[in-house]
Amino acid sequence: MAMALRLAAKAAGRTSPNPMVGAVVVKNGAVIARGWHKRAGEPHAEAIALAKAGAAARGATLYVTLEPCSHTNKRTPPCTPLVIRSGVKRVVIAMIDPNQKVSGGGIRAIRKAGIEVATGVLESEARLLNEAYIKYITRGIPFVTLKIAQTLDGKIATDSGESKWITGKKGREEGHRLRGTHDAVLVGINTVLKDDPSLTTRIAGGRDPIRVIVDTQLRTPLNAKVITQKSSAKTFIATLNRMPKEKFNKLLDAGAEILISRGTKGQINLNYLMEMLTRFDVTSVLIEGGAEVNASALKSGIVDKVVMFIAPALMTGKDSLCSIGGFSPKKLAQAIKLTDVRTRFIGQDLMIEGYVLKKKNRKVGR
């Protein structure tokens, strides 16, 4: 199963809106075939592995990281009939598919055919691998990760706006890898104006995510890299209905797509924007915003996970820019807390990952 999970992870960022799935066929203690789902619309992991095994699959054990599907979607046929016809005698499944169209149906069909089924093997690892898919398929909104690169004293830029580079080369490479595993990367207009980022994934084999710019007044320059730099990914500019119409048409002509979102007090409603992104099969969003976008994202409650790269440096000075803007809570008890925290070093930078502890009726900020 560990092998199947490693195979599944090879397609990170490429299978949306489908999950990542790996499969391994074992017979007489030896692996005879393996496969993984490479991208939406292509054969599923079980189909690939069983096709490779051929007649040798009869009497073997199939290990698969997610319950085989039992329904036909727009692109691919169900895998359950393939599993049954293959002649395997046992199927070991890491986790049940949370998709209500599948959930339990594939397992019931396989058991009804007289095949032994075991579930829950490395389930926690399987759920972690597909955390974005699980949220998307059960709640209908993307999984959101907030990424911050800062100094030890919580700063992301000098008073003049200089921020390149706070973290080291290895830390930046890891940031690009993280970007490539998400369907979309989101920044605010201030980041575009100050840094002019391309928001592409500049590592070998990297995949560019959809670029989303939060820009209520359509201030994105026509010569900005997110507009002019070639990429396989689209650029979406999220704005409000009262934006300048002339600039609207110019950005469209330049190749950008405009998303007109709902807003409150001149600010884009990030929850509504996340719902809009699901129309484009976006299951995961990486926020790389500045201080105010970071604060708005946390206050809105859309953030599921925080990934922070901390460089061994001190910016000093109260005029330098903090990583999270807005206002502090009135009470310490209202501070946002993280759970399931993990740490590791990426070069000299400390990488901290944790999940936002969600509480009902928790108020953030003033």
Side-chain angles (χ1 to χ4, degrees), residues 94-166:
M95 62 173 284
I96 296 172
D97 196 331
N99 187 343
Q100 290 302 310
K101 295 179 180 179
V102 180
S103 190
I107 292 174
R108 287 191 295 272
I110 293 169
R111 282 178 172 157
K112 188 176 181 180
I115 300 170
E116 180 187 348
V117 178
T119 61
V121 177
L122 297 186
E123 181 177 359
S124 296
E125 291 83 347
R127 294 184 68 85
L128 180 64
L129 178 70
N130 277 309
E131 58 189 3
Y133 168 75
I134 291 171
K135 182 183 178 184
Y136 174 80
I137 207 67
T138 57
R139 297 184 55 192
I141 50 178
F143 184 94
V144 179
T145 301
L146 174 61
K147 177 225 166 187
I148 297 172
Q150 66 172 44
T151 59
L152 276 170
D153 52 345
K155 307 295 186 176
I156 60 173
T158 64
D159 180 46
S160 64
E162 183 184 355
S163 61
K164 296 180 180 179
W165 297 103
I166 286 177

Side-chain angles (χ1 to χ4, degrees), residues 10 27 38 44 50 53 106 157 161 183 198 215 231 239 300 352:
K10 287 186 174 186
K27 190 173 185 179
K38 296 181 179 180
H44 291 180
L50 291 171
D183 295 333
S198 61
D215 182 4
S231 171
T239 189
S300 69
I352 300 176

